[in-house]
Amino acid sequence: MLITNTRATRETYPNDLRSIMSVAKAEQSRKWLSTWGGIYPGSTPLYALDGLATALGVGQILVKDESVRSELGSFKALGAPIALVRLILRLWPNDGLDPQALLSGAYKTKFSDFTVISATDGNHGKGLAAAAQSAGCRCVIVLHANVSAEREAAIAAYGANIVRIQGNYDESVEEAARLARENAWHVVSDTSYDGYEEIPRDVMQGYGTIAAEIVEGSARSKSPVTHVFLQGGVGGLAAGIVSYFWETYGTRRPTAIIVEPEQADCLFQSALSGVAAKATGSVDSVMAGLACGETSPLAWRFLVSSVDYFMTVKDEDAVQAMQVLAKGNESDLPIVSGESGAAGLAGLIQLMRDPKLARQAGLDHSSTVLLISTEGATAPAVYEQLVGESGLGVLARQKEFLDRRASHYA
C-alpha cells in the first residue's frame, strides 16, 4: 500500500524544527562519536548497485551499508551513545566532563552507581548496553516476548541486566518506565511520549552522522539523490535523516518514502490521520526492528512535513529483498542486510512492479534512489534461515567481488 502525504512541503527547513535538531548538533554528535571504540573509524560504505537499478528500471541505486558501522552490526550504535552522553552532561552540568573522554571510560568510577534502562527490539538495547559499558554505568534492558534468545544473548554480552516480559514492544516500553520510576533509574529510549522528548531527540540527532556521510558520498556520485527510502519503526531514524537532508538541501530535498511492515503500520496510520497514531495490526513482524505499534510524537513533528509517501510491505517482501542483496550479480557486490535493513529495497521493488505506483512516486529511469541498509545479520541464525546462506558466507563472496574489482583496476 502506498499513500501520498498531502501535508508534505518543500519550503526551507523551519526554525522551530532547527531548534530541536540541526546539522550543527549532528556534526557535534559525529565528533563525539569519532573517538569511541564502539564504532569503527571512517564512514560506512555507499555502494552503487547498477545491475539492480537496470533490472528495476531506475537510473541508479545507492545503498548505505550500516552493518559495518560497528561490531554491533547496525546504525543503532550512533543513537544510544549520544543520548547517554548528553543525559550525563545534563545531570552533571558543573563537573567539566569531556564528552569524548566519557565514552572512553575516563569517568568509570564516577558512574558505577548510575543506571540507565530501555526497552528494545534488539539493536537499540545493544547500542545502549555497549555505551553504558564504555562509560562505566549500569544498564537494564527490557525485552518483549518476540525478541529472540539470540538477540538477548548479544545484548547481555555487553554487561546489561535483562528483564523479560510476556507482552509486545509497547508493553516493554511501559515496563521500562515503571522500573525506572521505582528504582530512580533513567530511561534512554528512542521513542518519545508525553513529557519525554529530550532523550529521543538526542538519539535521533545521533543518526545525523549517517546523513552527513551520505551528503559527502553522494556529492561524488554521477547524479544527485532524487528518492530516499527509509525504514519506519517509531520514526526516529527517518526523522534524523530527513531533518538533515531538509536543512541541507532545502526546497531541493530528495523525495522521502517511509516503508514499514503492514502489521506495524503506525506511521502509515499517522499519515492518514495527520497526528501520531498507533498501528492497526498485530505488530509482530519478521522485521523485528520495525515491529513498533506507536509513532514517536517527536519524530512525527519532523515527518509530517518532510515525508512525501508512506507505504507498507509484507514480511515476505523483506525476506525477498534480503535475498536479492545477498545474491548480488556480475556488476553488484553481495550485501548482508538484515530483516529490517532490507525494508527499503522491499518497498522499491514493490513500487517498480506496479507502473501506476511507480508513476505516483515519481520513480523512473532517471531516478537516483538511496537505500539505507540499517543492519546486517544481527541475528545470525535467523538471517541464515531466511536467506539460505550465512552472513559470513555472503561476506566472503563480497570480499571476492571487491578483490576482483581491485585487481581489474590495478
Side-chain angles (χ1 to χ4, degrees):
M1 295 181 66
L2 175 78
I3 58 170
T4 300
N5 178 22
T6 59
R7 301 172 184 85
T9 179
R10 289 193 174 272
E11 63 184 21
T12 56
Y13 190 54
N15 288 330
D16 62 325
L17 296 183
R18 186 182 287 108
S19 67
I20 303 172
M21 286 203 297
S22 67
V23 167
K25 279 292 181 66
E27 292 300 327
Q28 183 183 54
S29 299
R30 188 182 183 189
K31 178 182 177 182
W32 291 354
L33 288 167
S34 65
T35 56
W36 181 41
I39 63 174
Y40 301 134
S43 302
T44 54
L46 185 68
Y47 296 123
L49 303 185
D50 294 337
L52 183 58
T54 299
L56 293 180
V58 296
Q60 188 177 29
I61 294 176
L62 303 173
V63 178
K64 181 72 166 168
D65 185 4
E66 287 297 301
S67 71
V68 294
R69 176 66 65 183
S70 78
E71 67 176 16
L72 304 179
S74 85
F75 76 103
K76 291 293 180 79
L78 298 172
I82 287 299
L84 178 61
V85 169
R86 293 193 185 278
L87 170 63
I88 290 175
L89 293 179
R90 285 193 295 271
L91 293 174
W92 283 273
N94 302 316
D95 287 31
L97 301 176
D98 178 348
Q100 289 173 274
L102 200 159
L103 281 176
S104 298
Y107 310 105
K108 277 194 172 185
T109 56
K110 183 179 183 68
F111 301 117
S112 59
D113 294 325
F114 178 65
T115 302
V116 292
I117 183 171
S118 183
T120 186
D121 282 309
N123 290 336
H124 173 74
K126 190 158 58 169
L128 180 59
Q133 186 178 67
S134 294
C137 55
R138 297 179 62 241
C139 181
V140 178
I141 297 296
V142 182
L143 302 178
H144 60 82
N146 294 310
V147 177
S148 68
E150 191 174 30
R151 291 185 187 275
E152 176 181 342
I155 297 169
Y158 288 95
N161 295 321
I162 306 297
V163 175
R164 274 279 187 179
I165 69 162
Q166 291 304 307
N168 60 24
Y169 172 77
D170 298 306
E171 289 168 311
S172 69
V173 171
E174 295 171 1
E175 177 64 7
R178 185 188 69 80
L179 289 171
R181 288 192 301 270
E182 287 188 357
N183 297 282
W185 297 340
H186 292 267
V187 176
V188 179
S189 174
D190 55 356
T191 185
S192 69
Y193 44 85
D194 187 32
Y196 183 80
E197 289 194 342
E198 279 189 320
I199 289 174
R201 173 205 63 197
D202 296 338
V203 171
M204 294 189 299
Q205 193 72 85
Y207 301 152
T209 292
I210 302 172
E213 293 175 1
I214 291 168
V215 169
E216 294 168 358
S218 61
R220 299 188 293 271
S221 69
K222 61 186 179 183
S223 57
V225 170
T226 61
H227 294 73
V228 55
F229 284 72
L230 294 164
Q231 288 83 342
V234 300
L237 170 68
I241 300 297
V242 297
S243 64
Y244 194 104
F245 285 170
W246 194 0
E247 183 175 354
T248 300
Y249 297 116
T251 59
R252 298 179 295 106
R253 64 169 179 79
T255 295
I257 302 171
I258 280 187
V259 182
E260 57 192 337
E262 63 179 5
Q263 66 270 47
D265 60 346
C266 58
L267 296 176
F268 189 93
Q269 295 301 321
S270 299
L272 289 175
S273 66
V275 297
K278 296 182 179 182
T280 56
S282 64
V283 178
D284 298 336
S285 170
V286 70
M287 294 169 269
L290 307 182
C292 306
E294 294 189 41
T295 299
S296 168
L298 179 62
W300 184 247
R301 289 179 61 182
F302 293 84
L303 304 180
V304 65
S305 300
S306 61
V307 173
D308 302 279
Y309 301 94
F310 292 80
M311 70 176 297
T312 60
V313 294
K314 299 179 183 296
D315 280 2
E316 52 264 37
D317 299 332
V319 174
Q320 180 197 28
M322 292 170 67
Q323 295 168 350
V324 168
L325 289 170
K327 184 178 181 180
N329 55 49
E330 289 185 0
S331 62
D332 299 345
L333 82 172
I335 295 175
V336 178
S337 185
E339 311 91 275
S340 299
L345 176 59
L348 175 62
I349 291 173
Q350 295 311 306
L351 293 188
M352 297 311 295
R353 282 178 174 171
D354 187 326
K356 181 179 178 181
L357 293 181
R359 286 194 300 273
Q360 181 181 342
L363 288 161
D364 57 29
H365 65 277
S366 66
S367 302
T368 293
V369 178
L370 169 67
L371 308 173
I372 302 176
S373 180
T374 51
E375 64 175 6
T378 53
V382 173
Y383 180 89
E384 185 169 2
Q385 178 185 4
L386 296 176
V387 173
E389 181 181 7
S390 71
L392 292 176
V394 177
L395 287 177
R397 290 192 293 105
Q398 184 186 89
K399 183 178 184 302
E400 292 173 0
F401 180 98
L402 292 173
D403 288 346
R404 287 197 306 271
R405 177 179 289 179
S407 63
H408 176 76
Y409 290 104

